[in-house]
Amino acid sequence: MRTGTARLDNGRISSVQLLFIFLIFEASTAILYTPARVAALAGPDSWLAVSLGDGVYGLVVLLVAVTLGKRFPDQVFTGYLPEILGRIGGKLLAAAYALAFIHMGSVFVGEASVFINTHLLFLTPPTVLDTVLAMMAIYGAYLGIEAIARENEIVLPVWLLLIVFLLLLAAKDVDISHLKPVLENGLLPVLRAALFHSSWRGEVFFLLMLYPYLSQKQEALKAGLFYLGLVIVLAVVVHTVIVGVFGDLVTAHLLFPLETLAQYISLGRFVERLEIVVIVFLTAATIVKLAVIYHSAGIAAASTLGLKNYRSALIPIVLITVALSRVLYGTNLKLLSQLFYVWPIEALIVELAIPALILLIAVIRKKGGGPLADQENS
Amino acid sequence: MRIKRTLRMIALTLISVLLLNCAGCWDRREIDKLNVVMMLGVDRVVRDGKTRVLLSVLSLKLNSVVGSSGLGQGAGLVPSMGFVDTAEGETIDDACRNIALRSPRSLYLGHVQAIVIGEEMARDGIQQVIDFGDRSKDIRYRTEVVTCQGSALEALEAQPEFEMLSSTELVELIKQDPAHISKTVPADLLHVVSGLMTPGREVAMPRLHLFSPPERGSSVRKGPPSSSITLDQQGQQGQPGARGQNFNQTLGVSESEHPERKVFSVDGTAVFLGDRLVGWLNGEESEGAMFITRQARGGEVPFAFRSSQKNASYAFQRVSAGVKPVITRDGITLEVNIRGSGGLSENRDAAIDTMKASDIKAAEQYIDAEAEHYCQEAVARCQSLQSDIFGFGDLIHKSNPAYWKQIKDQWRDRFPTVKVRVTARFTIEQTGVTGQAVKSK
């Protein structure tokens, strides 16, 4: 039972479900907000920017997360921090992570409600949108990671199919010449764009919080690698089609290029007005993403405070995220400055720097054991 | 037990509160409270020395139908002829709101099919209009943008000849143009936005030409002699039953009682420099521009076969073009290669002996020369206007970015000096259902 309390949630997810959860992270908000900024930074080389840098950065984050997970296979990240850093330091950092998750949650809430508010329900108070989304997500978080993963098994395949369908319909308007000239200003702008975009790829660091729920822990790395491969293909195709249809300058000045792309689709002047499909499924996907982050935030808070049950932490977390998102990210201007200028740096610290440092300390102090993990797996 | 009851109470309260939500949402917009706009017209007017925007909207008028005829679709509402509303404002959206001063229904722009820009406005700059369309969440990038010779209001008031709504007619005219005539350069909002933003490319869009129909039996002439904004009465008079009677009446009308109502044609191209209208291309020049920009798919090339006047005609069906910038020390040359196939569609006085391969070959050369002439005319006209609607600069940017960096700031000055070498190769593959032409004795 000790492991039960350490994990706080007795759910189990398979490696495919883990892969799906990571994919929905990309397919919910990243796909919506990144193309404009990437096109602004990298111009016609967007497709290059989202493939190379992402792969490298994502792989490093993944390796760090998997190695840490292997050392503490039955605990979440915030749970074993005190073991590595000592009680006070560990608790403090765990609390910081709980706050970071809450902050990320508030950004996600803002991302969803700003989008819906801009494109569909512009008279509805954003607070209502926030609340409704958060309520659905909190229900998922309340039911546990297993329920979220299963819901995602319905949402993600349909959404991915629809994206493919949309991109195919848009493909006839692609003008390949929009992707030229290649590397006009050298590699530097592409690298900047890659650095920006890879912060989304680094969301694979949620593995730190999900690792203990994996039923086949030895497949974590495989699932992660599959994720990186698939997500890079997805990002490259999406960015290529968007820039191919609009050109990089027009893409860069749009708020939601994917939504505008769906608006632009017209097949025989009959298959038209598909943008609502995007809104519906992006909302569904964002709810899953929110549920995962609420779950992680709840677990992080509970393990920091030593609660027996993470569920009691959910309500305050949701209230805080909704309030925060209203105050800090209530308008697209505020939200975009967070996503474009703050988030990449925040991500670099939260996703890579701190976990890598923790891993280093764990290795030096010989905390957590590889052999133990191997025993568990066999 | 008590907890269970409390929980049940909470659940009941929640359910009843949530039920209230089912009644609708914040953003509900009932269809009978909407003014569904099909076409927007934007003009610039001067009032008391200040320039203001005159917005005219062509909206769908939904008539509720009593009886069985309209049942099924649209909840008993059937569209009738559109009607035109106008409002003035400091900005376009201001004018949009000002329409609410006289219309109880709020404007719904989700169905806007075309934006018509008045000539005055276009000469002053279209950035304002394009920004409005670009920013609006309802107006989509597929919306056609046209410039009207004259005022946009007149264009909206113009009478459609075949369709119920002039917006439908306009969009159909533009859509079928590349396939059948290729005498205007179509531009949807996306292309205008991208033309405004892309360095080395200028905006071109169809020209809307307004005129009173010369045909005496034209249904447009049946309209009331005085100008009227509502097209609705017109629609009722245009019913099939009344047609014959009106036709006879119209025949009796003398030319002095010319109707005010006009019809429009899409003919030629408006050429912009930056966001300002600087000139027009006529039909032939537009055809040349369509060849160069690879938009032409079908059309006609009348040509003179060993004669001083055009005595034969060629209908092309498939055209492709390749443009290659060649940069030498002397300057920039653009090599335009046009390939196409089609059929002989007219052969006056049997000038061409279709059985003779040499004649066909000669005819093809005449066609090539004629097509090249169209292209050269288009280029010469655009060069005189300094406006690179072909996107030659963009092409240089894409094929030779290093060189483009040197010249991009002076591209507008360089463009008129650019040499364009056009080579057309058209083949005659069909001669219709006859071979030899009819020879009169």
Side-chain angles (χ1 to χ4, degrees):
Chain A
M1 274 326 280
R2 199 195 69 84
T3 56
T5 48
R7 294 194 290 130
L8 287 158
D9 180 354
N10 286 320
R12 288 277 174 193
I13 56 173
S14 71
S15 49
V16 175
Q17 286 172 329
L18 181 75
L19 172 67
F20 278 17
I21 286 179
F22 287 150
L23 283 176
I24 206 95
F25 277 20
E26 164 75 13
S28 57
T29 52
I31 204 174
L32 195 63
Y33 281 89
T34 56
R37 181 65 178 164
V38 171
L41 289 172
D45 303 318
S46 295
W47 61 275
L48 207 61
V50 300
S51 50
L52 292 178
D54 279 26
V56 178
Y57 180 82
L59 193 65
V60 175
V61 174
L62 176 71
L63 285 177
V64 169
V66 170
T67 324
L68 261 179
K70 267 191 185 155
R71 289 184 158 262
F72 303 92
D74 282 322
Q75 278 174 292
V76 294
F77 183 58
T78 47
Y80 55 72
L81 275 178
E83 233 176 282
I84 299 173
L85 295 177
R87 197 170 155 73
I88 295 171
K91 285 283 182 198
L92 277 177
L93 193 61
Y97 260 86
L99 290 178
F101 289 142
I102 291 172
H103 177 239
M104 282 169 81
S106 72
V107 176
F108 295 158
V109 170
E111 281 177 332
S113 72
V114 162
F115 172 55
I116 297 172
N117 204 244
T118 311
H119 263 287
L120 186 67
L121 305 173
F122 60 98
L123 293 177
T124 310
T127 319
V128 174
L129 296 175
D130 287 351
T131 316
V132 171
L133 285 169
M135 272 165 66
M136 284 187 276
I138 197 185
Y139 183 59
Y142 181 81
L143 291 178
I145 192 70
E146 203 169 314
I148 300 172
R150 286 187 183 175
E151 189 214 347
N152 192 27
E153 274 182 313
I154 302 170
V155 174
L156 183 79
V158 181
W159 175 217
L160 281 185
L161 272 178
L162 277 168
I163 292 180
V164 172
F165 177 64
L166 287 174
L167 293 176
L168 281 178
L169 287 176
K172 77 177 173 60
D173 293 310
V174 170
D175 182 354
I176 292 297
S177 79
H178 280 147
L179 302 177
K180 287 195 283 188
V182 179
L183 292 180
E184 185 188 5
N185 297 316
L187 213 56
L188 203 65
V190 179
L191 285 179
R192 280 190 62 198
L195 199 64
F196 161 74
H197 191 262
S198 53
S199 51
W200 266 270
R201 203 56 61 244
E203 280 173 354
V204 73
F205 92 110
F206 267 91
L207 186 59
L208 291 171
M209 299 301 292
L210 299 178
Y211 196 85
Y213 312 117
L214 269 179
S215 54
Q216 302 123 328
K217 295 198 168 47
Q218 71 277 16
E219 285 187 7
L221 185 65
K222 204 167 127 194
L225 290 175
F226 258 106
Y227 156 74
L228 283 179
L230 284 173
V231 89
I232 287 171
V233 170
L234 179 70
V236 167
V237 173
V238 167
H239 282 80
T240 307
V241 172
I242 288 176
V243 173
V245 172
F246 293 144
D248 59 306
L249 293 169
V250 177
T251 308
H253 98 293
L254 291 169
L255 267 188
F256 307 107
L258 185 75
E259 175 71 1
T260 312
L261 184 77
Q263 265 192 346
Y264 192 64
I265 286 171
S266 167
L267 188 68
R269 300 179 65 199
F270 177 68
V271 182
E272 280 183 336
R273 299 176 190 271
L274 295 171
E275 62 268 22
I276 196 70
V277 175
V278 175
I279 297 178
V280 168
F281 277 89
L282 272 173
T283 312
T286 310
I287 289 168
V288 177
K289 186 170 179 173
L290 261 181
V292 175
I293 191 129
Y294 279 156
H295 183 265
S296 292
I299 298 272
S303 64
T304 312
L305 300 172
L307 301 180
K308 288 272 182 300
N309 193 344
Y310 75 96
R311 294 185 171 94
S312 49
L314 286 177
I315 298 266
I317 286 172
V318 169
L319 290 177
I320 293 168
T321 54
V322 171
L324 262 187
S325 89
R326 204 78 320 274
V327 176
L328 296 179
Y329 314 116
T331 67
N332 68 49
L333 301 171
K334 291 182 196 166
L335 179 68
L336 291 188
S337 76
Q338 152 73 15
L339 288 179
F340 291 171
Y341 306 113
V342 184
W343 167 238
I345 301 161
E346 184 191 337
L348 200 63
I349 297 168
V350 173
E351 289 169 353
L352 185 59
I354 294 180
L357 203 66
I358 297 297
L359 178 62
L360 199 68
I361 296 170
V363 171
I364 292 169
R365 297 186 65 183
K366 297 199 176 63
K367 295 287 180 182
L372 189 83
D374 285 343
Q375 267 174 19
E376 292 248 340
N377 289 336
S378 53
Chain B
M1 200 56 203
R2 266 188 72 182
I3 295 170
K4 215 172 178 182
R5 265 174 76 180
T6 331
L7 276 177
R8 200 175 286 173
M9 284 308 292
I10 292 172
L12 266 176
T13 328
L14 267 178
I15 287 171
S16 35
V17 169
L18 288 174
L19 263 179
L20 283 177
N21 290 338
C22 292
C25 68
W26 243 287
D27 286 84
R28 73 188 177 281
R29 287 189 285 174
E30 306 294 340
I31 193 163
D32 56 345
K33 295 279 178 288
L34 285 183
N35 188 350
V36 181
V37 178
M38 303 303 288
M39 186 150 72
L40 284 177
V42 193
D43 281 309
R44 173 145 293 169
V45 288
V46 179
R47 296 268 184 270
D48 308 329
K50 277 192 208 155
T51 53
R52 286 165 68 87
V53 175
L54 173 68
L55 181 83
S56 28
V57 297
L58 174 77
S59 352
L60 207 61
K61 194 167 189 181
L62 295 168
N63 290 345
S64 40
V65 172
V66 190
S68 60
S69 58
L71 282 182
Q73 276 194 338
L77 294 168
V78 292
S80 71
M81 302 281 295
F83 66 103
V84 179
D85 250 345
T86 59
E88 277 180 30
E90 305 290 335
T91 60
I92 301 176
D93 202 45
D94 186 34
C96 267
R97 303 283 165 148
N98 284 344
I99 283 186
L101 295 175
R102 58 182 283 204
S103 146
R105 300 180 178 187
S106 62
L107 287 190
Y108 176 65
L109 300 179
H111 283 277
V112 171
Q113 288 181 299
I115 299 175
V116 184
I117 303 169
E119 193 175 340
E120 288 280 305
M121 187 87 189
R123 290 201 187 274
D124 245 29
I126 56 167
Q127 195 275 341
Q128 182 186 12
V129 186
I130 300 308
D131 183 66
F132 171 75
D134 188 34
R135 204 169 285 282
S136 160
K137 78 177 174 64
D138 286 329
I139 296 178
R140 39 201 65 225
Y141 269 176
R142 284 274 171 202
T143 310
E144 302 289 342
V145 187
V146 297
T147 301
C148 175
Q149 228 174 355
S151 82
L153 172 61
E154 263 187 287
L156 261 70
E157 283 174 344
Q159 171 83 1
E161 292 190 283
F162 291 92
E163 310 288 343
M164 283 262 270
L165 289 162
S166 46
S167 57
T168 321
E169 181 146 318
L170 176 60
V171 170
E172 291 298 331
L173 280 176
I174 297 168
K175 292 264 180 200
Q176 52 103 41
D177 185 89
H180 297 301
I181 334 162
S182 304
K183 278 187 179 165
T184 187
V185 180
D188 60 17
L189 188 56
L190 171 62
H191 287 102
V192 178
V193 170
S194 135
L196 283 175
M197 292 179 98
T198 314
R201 178 185 291 279
E202 302 290 346
V203 175
M205 61 174 77
R207 165 172 74 173
L208 205 63
H209 176 59
L210 291 167
F211 58 99
S212 297
E215 300 84 5
R216 303 197 71 198
S218 167
S219 58
V220 177
R221 291 199 164 197
K222 289 179 295 181
S226 60
S227 109
S228 142
I229 279 177
T230 28
L231 298 182
D232 208 40
Q233 302 163 355
Q234 195 67 30
Q236 280 158 10
Q237 286 197 3
Q239 281 165 3
R243 198 181 178 94
Q245 194 192 347
N246 272 319
F247 186 73
N248 290 335
Q249 278 176 1
T250 328
L251 283 179
V253 174
S254 69
E255 285 298 312
S256 60
E257 291 172 60
H258 213 73
E260 301 257 329
R261 188 144 302 171
K262 291 179 172 176
V263 294
F264 54 76
S265 65
V266 175
D267 172 23
T269 306
V271 179
F272 289 76
L273 184 63
D275 73 333
R276 282 157 197 261
L277 175 71
V278 287
W280 313 93
L281 298 187
N282 64 23
E284 284 177 9
E285 290 159 353
S286 303
E287 201 166 334
M290 292 283 277
F291 282 142
I292 298 175
T293 54
R294 286 188 253 188
Q295 282 170 295
R297 280 184 282 133
E300 198 73 22
V301 182
F303 62 100
F305 185 80
R306 293 175 189 152
S307 161
S308 57
Q309 46 181 316
K310 307 239 162 131
N311 58 355
S313 195
Y314 172 76
F316 60 87
Q317 278 159 353
R318 278 171 294 276
V319 196
S320 63
V323 185
K324 210 175 88 190
V326 179
I327 293 142
T328 57
R329 223 170 299 154
D330 309 333
I332 305 160
T333 310
L334 284 128
E335 287 180 355
V336 182
N337 273 300
I338 299 164
R339 300 254 173 286
S341 63
L344 202 62
S345 56
E346 226 172 286
N347 187 1
R348 196 201 302 170
D349 308 331
I352 307 167
D353 186 349
T354 47
M355 289 299 132
K356 267 162 74 179
S358 63
D359 265 23
I360 293 289
K361 195 147 210 164
E364 284 176 356
Q365 277 166 5
Y366 282 115
I367 296 162
D368 295 344
E370 195 67 27
E372 285 165 13
H373 176 61
Y374 288 168
C375 296
Q376 291 294 0
E377 271 188 350
V379 170
R381 172 66 56 129
C382 290
Q383 284 185 331
S384 75
L385 300 171
Q386 284 195 311
S387 170
D388 179 10
I389 63 165
F390 314 101
F392 287 153
D394 193 30
L395 210 70
I396 296 171
H397 177 199
K398 270 154 188 165
S399 58
N400 197 339
Y403 182 68
W404 173 249
K405 262 190 196 145
Q406 300 167 23
I407 61 162
K408 73 174 172 193
D409 293 330
Q410 331 116 25
W411 177 244
R412 278 184 186 167
D413 301 325
R414 284 295 285 276
F415 172 67
T417 67
V418 163
K419 283 196 242 20
V420 180
R421 201 180 304 140
V422 186
T423 339
R425 289 280 171 277
F426 282 94
T427 53
I428 297 175
E429 290 181 355
Q430 287 155 6
T431 57
V433 292
T434 54
Q436 295 283 23
V438 178
K439 271 187 190 151
S440 56
K441 301 187 285 289

